[in-house]
Amino acid sequence: MTSTQTMQRPPAEVRYAGELARLRDSDTAPKPPGWALSLESARRFVVGDEKRGITKKFVGDPSLVDRALVTLATSRGLMLVGEPGTAKSLLSELIAAAVCGESTLTIQGGAATTEDQIKYSWNYALLVAEGPSPRSLVPAPMLRGMAEGKVVRFEEITRCPLEVQDCMLSMLSDRVMAIGELNGPDGMVFAQDGFNVIATANTRDRGVNEMSAALKRRFNFETVFPIADFDTELALVEQEAAKLLERSGVQLAPKRDVLEVLVRTFRDLREGTDRLTTVMSTAEAVSVAHAVGLRGWFLRGEHGSAADVVECLAGTAAKDNADDLARLRRYLEQHAPRRKGKQWQELHRARHLLPG
């Protein structure tokens, strides 16, 4: 068994290597400088093409994908914003894999993120022995992306301190990175064709470290919205949960009527009058569906049930918020019994499984 087969989640360029190879071989459309695929083929990779055997990987507005790709072909970065769990990171990964064949040049934003993790650092043993030199330089994702002409992904950029965010200004506007410790040509890294940045930010985090106006001007903003259609969301949850369960050694997937209850519950708690403060996203629904299948198979050797949904909902929906737990309990007591079907009745009967 290869290491790839034991990876919990290989990067997109590994998971879909066959599709990317077929698209490259048949791609006759003009490509932006430095791109591995044309815009047409990159779009096809993300949104799918049944006739060519390309799977649909992103459930959302295809015009959003078009605008994102066009942005990356310009000198402006792409900023994907939206509610948590709306597949912003997945979309950035897929686009990076299509554009440059590599999605792993990634910066994870956070309060502890430093400029070194964005630009470059040093091998201190070599630095002490030889002084600053290209040999002692340790490139971070931005330096590599610029030097190699690749797309850099910056996850949760607004979680970084403002001064750390603004270190990217010259790289995005002048397309150059200065390495002050080096002299001569080695002290300047100029962006090669194909370089650009895809950043993501959650709308719930706005105000944590609001981006400066100067940095905002370097990006085109695109909003990724939750899935509007129930059937589309249900199909996605069913598909993704089945993949996760198969990797987990589960031989039975949750029943469709159980998943219908799960997805409808998530949508009600996300959009209803008594909505929860926590994130009730499609990604969270997939996680719960996975847990339901695991409980059913490993505890009883059967499909997951609506009672398992209640057991798994508490930690996802309520977390440590007492008010959300009360809202969830009220939903199970008042709304669940109004809906028709055996699984809804089981959901209602299992309300006592909630903690507290």
Side-chain angles (χ1 to χ4, degrees), residues 245-265:
L245 289 168
E246 183 179 1
R247 284 200 60 86
S248 300
V250 177
Q251 299 179 22
L252 295 174
K255 295 180 180 178
R256 187 174 179 85
D257 55 356
V258 173
L259 292 181
E260 288 176 355
V261 168
L262 168 62
V263 174
R264 177 59 65 189
T265 298

Side-chain angles (χ1 to χ4, degrees), residues 253-283:
K255 295 180 180 178
R256 187 174 179 85
D257 55 356
V258 173
L259 292 181
E260 288 176 355
V261 168
L262 168 62
V263 174
R264 177 59 65 189
T265 298
F266 263 71
R267 293 176 73 89
D268 289 345
L269 295 174
R270 181 169 75 217
E271 304 166 356
T273 55
D274 206 13
R275 66 185 65 179
L276 304 190
T277 60
T278 193
V279 176
M280 301 298 291
S281 65
T282 305

Side-chain angles (χ1 to χ4, degrees), residues 76 113 127 233 293:
R76 297 174 72 86
T113 302
L127 187 65
E233 185 171 15

